[in-house]
Amino acid sequence: MSDSVVWPAAPPLLSLPIMDQAWMDAVFLHWRIPVATAAQFMPPGTEPDVYDGDAWVGLIGFRMVGAGIGSGMPIPYFGSFSEINVRLYSRDSEGTRGVVFLTLDASRLAVVLVARAAGIPYVWSRCAPVPDPGLAGYTVQRFRGGATSSFAVRPNRSVVATDPLTINLTARFGLHSELAGRTLFIPNTHAPWPLHPATVGYLDDGLVSAAGIEVTGPPESVLYSPGVQTQFGKPRVIRRG
C-alpha cells in the first residue's frame, strides 16, 4: 500500500433524510479505463473524475439491509436484498464528485420498477451472496438469458486500506443521474467505510461488458468492507453548462 490519507468528512445533508439503509459485506473491484470511454456515459454537466491519469470503472456488490423511507422503520422484505452495480466516477460543473451508475442489478422487482421510474438504471436479476466459507462475493443471473456475474474475494481483515486510490474510489457522497432532461445530484452521507484489501478468489463477470465497457486483466483495486449505514438527501439540479 502507498501512503495513508485521511478519509474526507462526509458533507451534511441539506435536507431531512429521504431514505435510510445499510450497505453490508461490500466487495469493490476496480479497473482503469480511458477517460474518453467514461466520458460517453456522463450526464450533461458532468465529466469523468480522473485519478492517476485515468478514469475508473467499478463492479461493486453488497447486501442492502433495512432500507426505509426517511429515517423511520425499514420496509419489510422489500428493504433487504443483494445489489450488484457497475459504476463510473464523475465531477459536475460545481466541482461536486460523485458516481454514475451504468447498471444496478437487484432481485426485488418492485424496487427495480420504482427506481427505474426515478431514472436509476436498475435491472431485475437473481442476485445472491456466494456461499463459499472465507470468501465474500455475489452471483447475478439476469432474467431472460441476460448477462451473468460471479465473483468473490478473500479479505485481509488484519489490514486497513487507507491508500489514496482506495479513498478516491470509495469516498463518494452522492450520485449523478439524468431524469426528464435534467441532471440531478442525489447526496448521501455515511461514516468512513471500514475497508480491507482483498485478493480475488474467482471472477467471471459479464456485467461490465454488458454495460458497454471492456476491461482486460485482473482488477487493479480489490477491497472488502463489512459495511456502513447511510442516508440519502433531497436531489438537487446540476447546471448543464
Side-chain angles (χ1 to χ4, degrees):
M1 291 289 178
S2 54
D3 293 340
S4 295
V5 296
V6 176
W7 183 279
L13 298 180
L14 301 180
S15 66
L16 292 175
I18 62 173
M19 185 171 288
D20 185 279
Q21 55 197 229
W23 299 331
M24 309 302 291
D25 293 319
V27 174
F28 301 84
L29 306 177
H30 283 95
W31 293 262
R32 293 175 183 266
I33 60 171
V35 175
T37 298
Q40 302 174 61
F41 299 94
M42 295 290 113
T46 70
E47 62 184 12
D49 193 19
V50 176
Y51 180 83
D52 195 29
D54 291 300
W56 295 77
V57 61
L59 174 67
I60 290 90
F62 60 91
R63 293 186 301 111
M64 180 87 73
V65 177
I69 303 301
S71 55
M73 294 293 292
I75 300 173
Y77 178 73
F78 294 105
S80 298
F81 52 88
S82 295
E83 178 184 304
I84 296 84
N85 63 67
V86 178
R87 74 189 199 185
L88 301 172
Y89 299 94
S90 51
R91 183 184 297 269
D92 63 31
S93 55
E94 300 172 5
T96 304
R97 300 164 68 240
V99 304
V100 171
F101 290 112
L102 302 185
T103 58
L104 307 93
D105 284 78
S107 53
R108 297 286 189 262
L109 179 58
V111 173
V112 170
L113 294 176
V114 170
R116 290 187 70 87
I120 310 299
Y122 268 84
V123 181
W124 188 31
S125 307
R126 185 176 292 109
C127 306
V130 301
D132 307 60
L135 298 178
Y138 296 88
T139 61
V140 180
Q141 172 63 71
R142 290 181 176 169
F143 293 108
R144 299 182 179 179
T148 65
S149 184
S150 181
F151 59 94
V153 304
R154 184 171 289 103
N156 182 354
R157 299 173 190 265
S158 66
V159 177
V160 176
T162 57
D163 58 284
L165 175 60
T166 288
I167 303 305
N168 182 272
L169 295 173
T170 60
R172 299 280 163 164
F173 300 108
L175 66 100
H176 289 107
S177 180
E178 188 173 9
L179 178 65
R182 299 185 301 172
T183 297
L184 303 178
F185 180 75
I186 305 174
N188 65 44
T189 188
H190 57 78
W193 283 100
L195 291 158
H196 306 286
T199 56
V200 174
Y202 55 84
L203 172 60
D204 183 11
D205 176 65
L207 301 184
V208 174
S209 60
I213 293 180
E214 297 297 329
V215 295
T216 59
E220 184 167 333
S221 174
V222 182
L223 300 164
Y224 167 80
S225 176
V228 294
Q229 188 78 25
T230 187
Q231 293 182 324
F232 284 86
K234 182 180 178 181
R236 66 176 185 268
V237 177
I238 298 301
R239 181 169 53 85
R240 300 175 68 152

